[in-house]
Amino acid sequence: MAKHETPLLDQLESGPWPSFVSDLKQEAESRAKNEKGIEYQIPVDVCEDLLGVLELSFKHGRTHWKHGGIVGVFGYGGGVIGRYCDQPQMFPGVAHFHTMRVNQPAGKFYTTEYLRNICDLWDLRGSGITNMHGSTGDIILLGTTTPQLEEIFFELTHTYNQDLGGSGSNLRTPSDCVGQARCEWACYDTQAICHDLTVEYQDELHRPAFPYKFKFKFDGCPNCCVASIARADISFVGTWRDDIKIDQEAVAAYVGGELPSNGGSHAGRDWGPFDIQKEVIDLCPTECMWLEDGKLMIDNRECTRCMHCINVMPRALRIGDDRGCSMLVGAKAPILDGAQMGSLLVPFIKVEEPYDEIKEVIESIWDYWMEEGKNRERLGELMKRQGFQKLLEMTNIKAVPQHVQEPRHNPYIFWKEDEVEGGFQRDVNEFRKHHQR
Amino acid sequence: MDYEEAKEKIVAGLTKKKSKSKFYFNDLAKILDLKPRVAKKLINQMVTEEVLEYWSSGSTSLYGLKGAGKQAHAEHED
Ligand code: HEM
Ligand code: HEM
Ligand code: SF4
Ligand code: SF4
């Protein structure tokens, strides 16, 4: 018999999808049984009370969580998100229900032993409820009490060699795609730079001094498996400068049906024979591909590295060899000014240790944003308010054609006097030699 | 600016503002009249020495004098 009646939540379970309500009930039952004989350090019925307070919120149409809190671990301004229930008498199990963010390893590689250890620690000192992984990328441990925070932090850092992630006005836990570990399209080692910058910018990760959150995300190629272009203040998207490598024999094999297109995905249905014209050439967004005497041709000057043709015919087409990444800035989710995609700032940069050139760009952006950004203003909003030209100036980057999103959008370019040869003053007498009054 | 001077300025500056108990990092940098990245070192030390404490909504971080403000009360588990 459940501790609280939850008819509204029970109804959610009737849908066709996996249900978090069922998951919470399962965890509640497992804690109540306690087959492993765990000495729970927070209330055993935390999951029941969580279901109870959620049911009450549904009934009232308003939240019963307070806003924010002072909790944290010593010396860190992020990684713990304080949450307190405003009905602690009714739901004592969730009177405190703090979230801890655990900095996931680059590429999210775990051993089963590591995962078991984290879960055991969380069963003992937390609610047992996890979120693998949050949108930022971290392992999210949901629900513990204030006295447990330091204990958990000590165990994580001393026993499991594991740090907390970022929250609040910090650098958020950097995250990356699986990259060269498994993917032949990775144009740089996403895991290496993700780890390097995480270590380099520990202070920014743990001690909040930014106007608001700031995210790095690393995608090895424009397929953008971590969607960096849509949700990172700085997105690092792998790309290449030379030509797509073409294996004409393999092209013929795709055309002849010997190789399945798209690596055999979408195979659940018969789509008819592969049509290279319809499925590749006509879908190239820059229209830079054509067939010539049965050979596939690409005008690489026009190709924007969208990845479409490579995704469809991975055995025939491969990324180029002169590899690096593009840096885009200012993407963010809808809060305040509406959603924004990243704007291209650095069209191509080599991604090589110790990444000095990249760090220079990052730090010049931070200097600018920390000085000029309003409280709670994301980089993307500051760029919109002050203009891309200002960002170029502050980062010392010269305007190049790739910065133009589309021609004729805004024909006005303002030159400063020191950018114009000879300044704005002219010699009238010299002018009059050539032009009559 | 040395640490003691910065601390005095911050404590005086924050005590003066009766209506608020939590402040953005930029407010502190302004009190010190320093560039943010220079101010950060001093302010970090004030947190370490428990002159200041962090407050976080989860998405935004604020700073306050240790123990100031209603929330601290609510959280002393009384
Ligand atoms: C029969 C003669 C002409 C026709 C039919 C014509 C037509 C056009 C058209 C359709 C556009 C595009 C407008 C747009 O994209 O919004 C255009 C733009 C333009 N034309 Fe012409 N044009 C003619 C003669 C000329 C001449 C003689 C000049 C200069 C001496 C000229 C200068 C321009 C300029 C500067 C623009 C760009 C305006 C902008 O960027 O907003 N055109 N013209
Ligand atoms: C390098 C030379 C030139 C440049 C860079 C230039 C640039 C421009 C620009 C940026 C505009 C404003 C477009 C808009 O507001 O949509 C414009 C408008 C115009 N230009 Fe030029 N222009 C040039 C030469 C000329 C010449 C040689 C003529 C005529 C003989 C001309 C005639 C006009 C006219 C009629 C307009 C439209 C004005 C209006 O809409 O009220 N331009 N030009
Ligand atoms: S973003 Fe590109 S390189 Fe990274 S895993 Fe996805 S397809 Fe591979
Ligand atoms: S990568 Fe995209 S733009 Fe480039 S050739 Fe292939 S389909 Fe066209």
Side-chain angles (χ1 to χ4, degrees):
Chain A
M1 175 65 203
K3 182 174 170 188
H4 307 283
E5 291 284 308
T6 56
L8 295 172
L9 292 180
D10 298 346
Q11 197 279 331
L12 291 180
E13 290 181 283
S14 66
W17 310 279
S19 168
F20 73 95
V21 176
S22 310
D23 286 352
L24 288 177
K25 286 180 179 171
Q26 187 188 326
E27 182 64 12
E29 211 180 292
S30 142
R31 280 176 82 87
K33 272 198 204 135
N34 194 11
E35 277 172 355
K36 285 193 217 157
I38 300 164
E39 284 181 47
Y40 293 123
Q41 298 298 299
I42 77 164
V44 60
D45 53 359
V46 49
C47 299
E48 271 110 334
D49 280 355
L50 183 63
L51 288 164
V53 72
L54 184 57
E55 178 78 14
L56 190 68
S57 292
F58 277 178
K59 221 161 76 186
H60 289 169
R62 69 179 90 96
T63 184
H64 285 291
W65 298 105
K66 300 181 196 176
H67 186 226
I70 290 171
V71 292
V73 294
F74 190 71
Y76 278 28
V80 178
I81 299 156
R83 285 293 179 263
Y84 299 87
C85 178
D86 71 4
Q87 295 295 345
Q89 294 79 13
M90 237 185 291
F91 309 107
V94 293
H96 299 199
F97 195 76
H98 310 320
T99 289
M100 299 187 85
R101 289 211 172 128
V102 177
N103 190 331
Q104 84 288 358
K108 303 193 179 82
F109 280 93
Y110 302 110
T111 60
T112 51
E113 187 196 9
Y114 169 89
L115 290 173
R116 206 169 284 119
N117 286 335
I118 295 287
C119 289
D120 286 349
L121 174 64
W122 193 238
D123 275 337
L124 175 68
R125 301 196 174 275
S127 70
I129 306 166
T130 66
N131 172 13
M132 301 283 283
H133 299 76
S135 328
T136 303
D138 316 73
I139 301 176
I140 311 281
L141 303 179
L142 289 157
T144 193
T145 59
T146 307
Q148 292 305 313
L149 295 170
E150 290 290 353
E151 307 279 348
I152 294 164
F153 182 56
F154 184 91
E155 278 299 304
L156 284 176
T157 48
H158 291 71
T159 313
Y160 303 125
N161 192 23
Q162 174 61 63
D163 201 359
L164 292 183
S167 67
S169 306
N170 273 333
L171 174 64
R172 299 305 182 80
T173 314
S175 83
D176 61 334
C177 78
V178 72
Q180 289 177 344
R182 289 181 62 88
C183 183
E184 63 189 61
W185 293 326
C187 298
Y188 66 93
D189 189 344
T190 52
Q191 294 186 49
I193 185 172
C194 184
H195 181 74
D196 185 281
L197 296 192
T198 302
V199 173
E200 172 92 16
Y201 295 124
Q202 280 289 294
D203 198 53
E204 283 74 10
L205 231 161
H206 298 310
R207 284 169 275 278
F210 287 151
Y212 202 22
K213 60 180 97 165
F214 197 95
K215 300 179 183 174
F216 293 152
K217 292 194 193 296
F218 306 90
D219 278 309
C221 81
N223 277 333
C224 267
C225 290
V226 290
S228 65
I229 197 168
R231 43 191 208 138
D233 298 84
I234 304 185
S235 337
F236 301 80
V237 182
T239 190
W240 61 93
R241 276 190 294 203
D242 54 348
D243 295 351
I244 292 177
K245 289 178 286 184
I246 309 180
D247 174 347
Q248 297 291 357
E249 267 176 45
V251 173
Y254 279 108
V255 173
E258 293 124 51
L259 287 173
S261 62
N262 288 294
S265 52
H266 316 300
R269 203 184 115 180
D270 185 9
W271 298 88
F274 176 66
D275 182 340
I276 192 170
Q277 186 68 39
K278 201 168 116 227
E279 293 173 48
V280 180
I281 297 175
D282 290 352
L283 293 180
C284 168
T286 60
E287 300 176 17
C288 69
M289 312 181 89
W290 69 98
L291 284 173
E292 211 170 287
D293 304 330
K295 289 213 157 72
L296 182 66
M297 311 298 282
I298 299 176
D299 180 358
N300 281 277
R301 276 173 52 86
E302 294 300 325
C303 163
T304 51
R305 283 73 173 141
C306 81
M307 296 298 291
H308 174 70
C309 58
I310 299 177
N311 290 336
V312 178
M313 306 193 295
R315 296 273 289 274
L317 302 175
R318 288 172 199 268
I319 59 172
D321 292 324
D322 183 10
R323 300 169 192 166
C325 81
S326 300
M327 291 171 71
L328 293 92
V329 290
K332 62 176 205 68
I335 307 174
L336 296 187
D337 238 11
Q340 238 169 268
M341 298 289 272
S343 302
L344 184 67
L345 179 66
V346 180
F348 186 89
I349 193 165
K350 281 280 181 187
V351 187
E352 280 159 4
E353 278 173 278
Y355 314 111
D356 284 339
E357 244 189 301
I358 287 175
K359 287 172 188 169
E360 236 171 78
V361 178
I362 292 170
E363 286 166 31
S364 64
I365 288 174
W366 281 346
D367 280 339
Y368 166 50
W369 178 55
M370 286 173 80
E371 290 228 352
E372 300 275 339
K374 293 185 192 170
N375 294 325
R376 311 202 61 197
E377 184 174 54
R378 289 284 286 274
L379 176 63
E381 286 146 0
L382 173 64
M383 285 163 51
K384 241 174 140 179
R385 181 160 64 83
Q386 299 197 332
F388 197 75
Q389 198 174 356
K390 173 88 175 181
L391 178 73
L392 289 178
E393 217 173 275
M394 301 308 286
T395 48
N396 234 333
I397 292 173
K398 270 195 148 12
V400 292
Q402 287 97 326
H403 290 142
V404 180
Q405 188 168 14
E406 74 242 25
R408 296 185 171 188
H409 181 83
N410 176 354
Y412 298 101
I413 294 161
F414 298 102
W415 298 90
K416 294 214 185 83
E417 184 153 16
D418 60 358
E419 291 172 323
V420 180
E421 207 180 316
F424 287 167
Q425 300 301 323
R426 66 172 180 192
D427 181 342
V428 176
N429 295 329
E430 183 59 30
F431 182 73
R432 286 292 161 227
K433 280 188 201 158
H434 307 287
H435 308 285
Q436 299 178 24
R437 275 189 87 98
Chain B
M1 185 179 317
D2 72 359
Y3 175 67
E4 287 306 320
E5 188 191 338
K7 189 165 87 180
E8 258 170 53
K9 277 193 173 175
I10 290 285
V11 172
L14 299 194
T15 317
K16 211 167 57 197
K17 298 191 179 159
K18 289 263 181 306
S19 57
K20 277 206 289 180
S21 62
K22 300 180 199 77
F23 302 85
Y24 286 103
F25 177 82
N26 268 347
D27 302 332
L28 305 189
K30 269 192 213 108
I31 290 174
L32 296 180
D33 200 18
L34 290 173
K35 288 201 174 258
R37 292 187 96 180
V38 183
K40 182 173 183 184
K41 294 200 179 73
L42 297 164
I43 290 165
N44 273 350
Q45 200 179 337
M46 290 177 217
V47 174
T48 313
E49 294 188 1
E50 304 193 41
V51 178
L52 296 177
E53 67 188 355
Y54 298 118
W55 182 94
S56 171
S57 73
S59 70
T60 311
S61 310
L62 299 172
Y63 291 73
L65 290 170
K66 176 98 180 163
K70 273 187 289 186
Q71 184 126 11
H73 219 65
E75 282 166 25
H76 281 152
E77 288 93 52
D78 45 5

